[in-house]
Amino acid sequence: MTKETETVERLTVENDALRKRVAELEETVRQRDRVMQTVIDHIPALIFVMDLEDTYSHTNQSCAIFMGRKEVSEIVGHNAREFFPPEVFDSWRENNRLVAAKGEAIVAEESGPREDGIHFYQSIKFPVRDSEGTIRWIGGIATNVTAERRADARLRESQAHAQAMLDASTDLLLLVDLEGVVVVANQAAAGRLGCTPAEVAGMRDVFPLDEPARRASLVEEIRRTGTPAHFDAARDDRWFEVTAYPVQSGDGPLARLAIYGRDVTEQRRAAQEQRRLQEQVIEAQRLAIQEIGTPLVPLTNAAVAIPLIGAIDEVRAAHFVETMLRGVEERGAHIVVVDVTGVNTVDTHVAEVLVRAARAAKLLGAEVIMTGIRPAVAQALVELGADLGGVVTLASLQDGIAYAVRGKGRASSPRRGVSS
């Protein structure tokens, strides 16, 4: 064997070994690619790599499904423009250009159409460089956040509806924590504080819980009883009836207070006005009853009659004496006929009133004639020791009137001085 032949054989063996090694390495790479592809195919996020001309070089199964394809092979080698409407493609492409220009990763929210509407994605896009450090590709990982965005939108809509309902109320509505910090306020409560509902949130110790001691006492009462608490509060000459409702954290302990305050200023003012009018009516009725219950009846130019009916209290007794003396003075009466037929009971007070009236009339030069004293009343006067000396007593009002009209002694014989 010649030297050249030996060299050829040796090179052939080495070449075969190299081919085998290359084949082994290629298989290793393919296995690694299959493993990597299998891994990324099971990731729900959209994963892709595209060149600077927007042609896909790698994608995962989630990305293929998003684009309406069954296999990744239907995406690789195709331009993104083939899969998206122009406005969507332009938006995504703009972010790709930004990554290439900045040479660093960015986070952006992107959207794309699906069968059930627009879906939203939180995308991380980053540059992919070759061995020389030159940016050749743009990689991306897009996580579907549609459910979160829709939930956030529903929550914001629900909050907006709730706030609108709260603001529609003219009553003060507040949600506060146990330290007195406002969580939510409606327009009425905010207006009472001179700011907006957003400005009230976070404020501490606001009306009607602007007194820390009251708040602490209220929290303790509600925590102890587990029931709403009620109290009154005033601000700017306005009165409010306030109810604090317990708000628990799930099945846990008391966490917050829902404050409901109703402006009752007009109702209270109306009630006060009504009480004032009632008092005026009652006073007018009392005066009218006094006038009716103690009438002054002229008999002649020199005689008057005062019939008494019903019970005689202290106020009515004073009115009786005043009426009698005024009649004597104004009319120049010399005779006053006091009829007690309608007086049901006579006690010490009534007896003293009658005696005091007779003495006062005598001082003015008038004679008092007492009529209608029934046996029970006469016995009561005797038992009470009432001194009616100097008072003419007659059986009936008719006798008294006759006595007054005809003059003393011209009526049937009077009975004098019923006394003890």
Side-chain angles (χ1 to χ4, degrees):
M1 179 180 296
T2 64
K3 190 173 183 179
E4 289 81 2
T5 301
E6 290 177 355
T7 300
V8 171
E9 289 180 351
R10 180 175 56 80
L11 291 174
T12 300
V13 171
E14 291 178 355
N15 194 34
D16 290 341
L18 287 173
R19 288 194 184 94
K20 182 178 179 181
R21 179 58 180 163
V22 169
E24 290 174 351
L25 291 175
E26 289 177 344
E27 180 59 26
T28 299
V29 170
R30 284 192 294 272
Q31 288 180 359
R32 185 184 63 188
D33 288 345
R34 283 195 298 271
V35 170
M36 184 62 65
Q37 188 66 44
T38 301
V39 170
I40 66 174
D41 281 344
H42 285 80
I43 295 176
L46 311 183
I47 301 176
F48 58 88
V49 177
M50 60 175 58
D51 61 23
L52 300 183
E53 299 302 322
D54 307 309
T55 297
Y56 290 103
S57 59
H58 297 80
T59 65
N60 67 345
Q61 190 63 33
S62 297
C63 194
I65 294 173
F66 172 73
M67 296 181 187
R69 302 296 188 272
K70 294 182 178 180
E71 301 294 338
V72 170
S73 59
E74 299 179 62
I75 306 298
V76 174
H78 293 267
N79 194 279
R81 192 184 301 273
E82 301 176 29
F83 305 101
F84 302 105
E87 63 276 8
V88 175
F89 172 78
D90 291 341
S91 173
W92 288 30
R93 189 172 185 271
E94 184 65 27
N95 289 332
N96 292 350
R97 295 294 177 264
L98 180 61
V99 171
K102 296 178 65 174
E104 60 185 33
I106 66 168
V107 178
E109 184 169 290
E110 299 177 323
S111 60
R114 296 295 297 272
E115 295 82 358
D116 60 344
I118 299 297
H119 278 220
F120 300 92
Y121 294 83
Q122 189 76 23
S123 298
I124 301 175
K125 292 192 170 182
F126 49 89
V128 180
R129 305 174 187 272
D130 61 14
S131 59
E132 297 179 357
T134 302
I135 298 176
R136 299 292 187 184
W137 304 273
I138 301 296
I141 302 174
T143 302
N144 193 329
V145 293
T146 304
E148 290 84 348
R149 292 294 179 271
R150 290 176 177 174
D152 289 343
R154 288 193 298 269
L155 178 59
R156 287 193 298 272
E157 182 179 12
S158 175
Q159 290 174 336
H161 289 167
Q163 188 67 47
M165 294 176 65
L166 293 176
D167 290 341
S169 174
T170 57
D171 298 321
L172 310 186
L173 300 174
L174 291 166
L175 182 64
V176 302
D177 66 18
L178 302 186
E179 299 302 319
V181 178
V182 178
V183 180
V184 177
N186 74 337
Q187 187 63 50
R192 184 61 55 184
L193 298 170
C195 49
T196 66
E199 292 171 337
V200 178
M203 294 175 64
R204 179 187 295 272
D205 294 330
V206 301
F207 179 81
L209 289 184
D210 44 354
E211 299 178 12
R214 167 182 279 182
R215 171 177 49 78
S217 175
L218 196 67
V219 169
E220 181 59 29
E221 178 184 351
I222 294 176
R223 181 180 281 128
R224 177 174 49 82
T225 64
T227 59
H230 309 274
F231 62 94
D232 291 340
R235 185 183 179 92
D236 301 330
D237 296 326
R238 309 292 297 183
W239 283 94
F240 296 84
E241 290 181 351
V242 184
T243 303
Y245 295 91
V247 179
Q248 294 179 313
S249 178
D251 296 330
L254 180 68
R256 294 173 177 175
L257 299 179
I259 308 300
Y260 173 89
R262 168 156 292 179
D263 190 334
V264 293
T265 306
E266 301 307 324
Q267 293 92 317
R268 291 199 176 187
R269 288 176 179 172
Q272 291 174 352
E273 180 64 16
Q274 184 177 12
R275 284 195 297 270
R276 187 183 67 82
L277 293 175
Q278 286 177 339
E279 290 172 357
Q280 290 180 347
V281 171
I282 292 172
E283 179 63 16
Q285 290 175 340
R286 186 184 66 81
L287 294 176
I289 290 172
Q290 284 183 351
E291 294 295 333
I292 295 172
T294 316
L296 181 67
V297 181
L299 299 177
T300 67
N301 291 336
V304 295
I306 303 178
L308 297 178
I309 301 173
I312 300 177
D313 57 16
E314 187 172 342
V315 174
R316 191 176 175 201
H319 183 70
F320 158 65
V321 175
E322 179 185 354
T323 300
M324 185 185 69
L325 298 180
R326 186 175 67 250
V328 170
E329 181 180 6
E330 292 178 355
R331 303 188 64 85
H334 297 293
I335 298 176
V336 179
V337 179
V338 179
D339 181 64
V340 295
T341 305
V343 177
N344 297 324
T345 58
V346 175
D347 55 14
T348 304
H349 171 69
V350 175
E352 289 177 353
V353 168
L354 296 176
V355 171
R356 188 168 69 250
R359 290 174 180 173
K362 187 175 182 180
L363 292 175
L364 295 178
E367 182 182 14
V368 175
I369 309 300
M370 195 81 66
T371 66
I373 299 179
R374 293 173 295 167
V377 174
Q379 183 178 356
L381 288 171
V382 171
E383 292 175 354
L384 291 170
D387 183 8
L388 296 180
V391 177
V392 176
T393 59
L394 299 174
S396 67
L397 177 59
Q398 181 179 2
D399 292 338
I401 293 174
Y403 181 89
V405 172
R406 296 175 184 175
K408 183 187 286 188
R410 295 182 62 183
S412 57
S413 298
R415 295 172 292 169
R416 295 252 183 196
V418 177
S419 67
S420 59

